[in-house]
């Protein structure tokens, strides 16, 4: 994983430097994406890259690349680093300028960084994970995949300190999403997931899951649900690029449904694995 991309150039990781007044470093003024790699192939890359560019537009940040141009660059990075299974992380910041909350008056170059990380592929998660619930203290533009993740970090740390895998956030009585995932529930064979809105990130794995539901006869509704509805659900599912489709079977110490991964979760895991192999080859 020696090579990284820095402003479009391939350099050794040790040579990658950013200015102390980079606005990503000082303000979190930037956006990012993480793309999964299987068999050396990028999974759902166009969906991720389109979302990256969309997030940048929402904060008036010109990344200077098309999605197609970015895909060529990061696929080359995967090849350079001989990555078979893992992730590509990429981010754009507004660039370096004298510290001022307002955007720089003079045009500056955005800073683009991408690097790879090896993650062995272990297949579907067979046993359920534990989670806690916590108040969602984040800002109101969670649809932007920004570098401002302190609220997410604090929630995740609460979960870790309690020996749990994820923190499920809520605003009032309404479940929004996990600290680093989307959350869905299953009740009476119907999957419910929060609709795309400013209060959640429209997760790529979540979107692929809904496509799989649609094409395989699994009923779903993009509707918000309450804490009580989640706690009384038959199944709870978390989805993310790194966790794929993962069952949550214990929340705040209470078993969900039968306390083990349910049939809809298992079916979606199988379908998701098939989708990976369709796009990236047999694993």
């Amino acid at each position: 994983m020696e090579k990284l991309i820095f402003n479009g150039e391939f350099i050794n990781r040790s040579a990658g430097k950013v200015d102390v007044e980079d606005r990503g470093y000082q303000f979190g003024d930037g956006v990012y994406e993480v793309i999964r790699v299987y068999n050396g192939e990028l999974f759902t890359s166009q969906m991720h890259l389109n979302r990256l560019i969309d997030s940048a537009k929402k904060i008036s940040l010109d990344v200077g690349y098309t999605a197609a141009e970015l895909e060529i660059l990061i696929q080359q990075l995967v090849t350079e680093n001989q990555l078979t299974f893992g992730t590509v992380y990429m981010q754009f910041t507004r660039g370096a300028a004298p510290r001022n909350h307002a955007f720089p008056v003079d045009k500056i170059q955005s800073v683009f960084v991408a690097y790879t990380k090896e993650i062995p592929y272990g297949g579907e998660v067979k046993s359920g994970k534990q989670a806690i619930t916590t108040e969602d203290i984040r800002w109101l533009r969670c649809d932007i995949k920004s570098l401002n993740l302190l609220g997410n970090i604090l929630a995740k740390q609460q979960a870790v300190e309690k020996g749990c895998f994820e923190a499920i956030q809520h605003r009032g009585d309404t479940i929004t999403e996990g600290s680093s995932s989307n959350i869905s529930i299953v009740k009476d064979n119907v999957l419910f997931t929060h609709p795309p809105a400013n209060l959640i990130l429209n997760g790529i794995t979540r979107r692929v899951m809904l496509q799989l539901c649609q094409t395989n006869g699994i009923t779903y509704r993009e509707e918000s649900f309450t804490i009580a509805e989640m706690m009384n659900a038959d199944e709870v599912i978390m989805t993310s690029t790194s966790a794929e489709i993962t069952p949550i079977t214990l929340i705040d110490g209470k078993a969900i449904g039968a306390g083990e991964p349910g049939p809809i979760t298992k079916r979606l895991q199988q379908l998701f694995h098939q989708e990976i192999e369709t796009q990236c080859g047999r694993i």
Side-chain angles (χ1 to χ4, degrees), residues 70-82:
L70 286 173
E71 183 170 37
I72 291 170
L73 280 172
I74 60 175
Q75 184 62 69
Q76 186 177 344
L77 180 64
V78 168
T79 302
E80 288 272 352
N81 284 336
Q82 299 180 339

Side-chain angles (χ1 to χ4, degrees), residues 51 132-139 141-145 149 152 155 166-171 174-184 193-204 206 225 230 237-240:
R51 185 175 65 179
I132 61 167
T133 55
T134 186
E135 185 70 33
D136 194 338
I137 62 171
R138 302 169 302 162
W139 72 326
R141 291 305 308 272
C142 299
D143 56 308
I144 300 171
K145 199 168 177 68
L149 293 175
N152 305 66
E166 180 59 300
I168 300 174
Q169 302 172 106
H170 58 89
R171 293 186 188 264
T174 301
I175 297 296
T176 49
E177 60 185 345
S179 67
S180 60
S181 66
N182 293 117
I183 301 296
S184 305
T193 188
H194 198 295
N198 64 300
L199 298 181
I200 73 161
L201 182 71
N202 191 5
I204 303 302
R206 170 192 174 279
F225 49 88
M230 179 180 70
I237 304 169
M238 66 171 284
T239 53
S240 73

Side-chain angles (χ1 to χ4, degrees), residues 186 189-191 209-210 212-221 263-265 267-268 271:
V186 176
N189 293 318
V190 179
L191 183 142
M209 177 183 71
L210 296 184
L212 294 172
C213 286
Q214 186 171 19
T215 56
N216 290 277
I218 299 172
T219 304
Y220 72 90
R221 296 176 187 167
I264 299 294
T265 304
R267 176 63 174 146
L268 287 170
L271 293 170

Side-chain angles (χ1 to χ4, degrees), residues 48-118:
H48 280 282
L49 294 171
N50 287 336
R51 185 175 65 179
L52 175 66
I53 291 172
D54 185 56
S55 288
K57 287 179 179 177
K58 289 177 180 178
I59 65 169
S60 302
L61 173 58
D62 181 11
V63 302
Y65 295 88
T66 66
E69 289 168 341
L70 286 173
E71 183 170 37
I72 291 170
L73 280 172
I74 60 175
Q75 184 62 69
Q76 186 177 344
L77 180 64
V78 168
T79 302
E80 288 272 352
N81 284 336
Q82 299 180 339
L83 181 66
T84 303
F85 294 98
T87 57
V88 178
Y89 175 88
M90 67 196 75
Q91 72 173 36
F92 284 88
T93 74
R94 202 175 302 278
R99 192 178 192 279
N100 189 333
H101 281 65
F103 292 172
V105 174
D106 297 323
K107 183 175 176 61
I108 59 174
Q109 181 185 4
S110 61
V111 175
F112 168 40
V113 174
Y115 64 87
T116 60
K117 179 181 179 181
E118 187 174 12

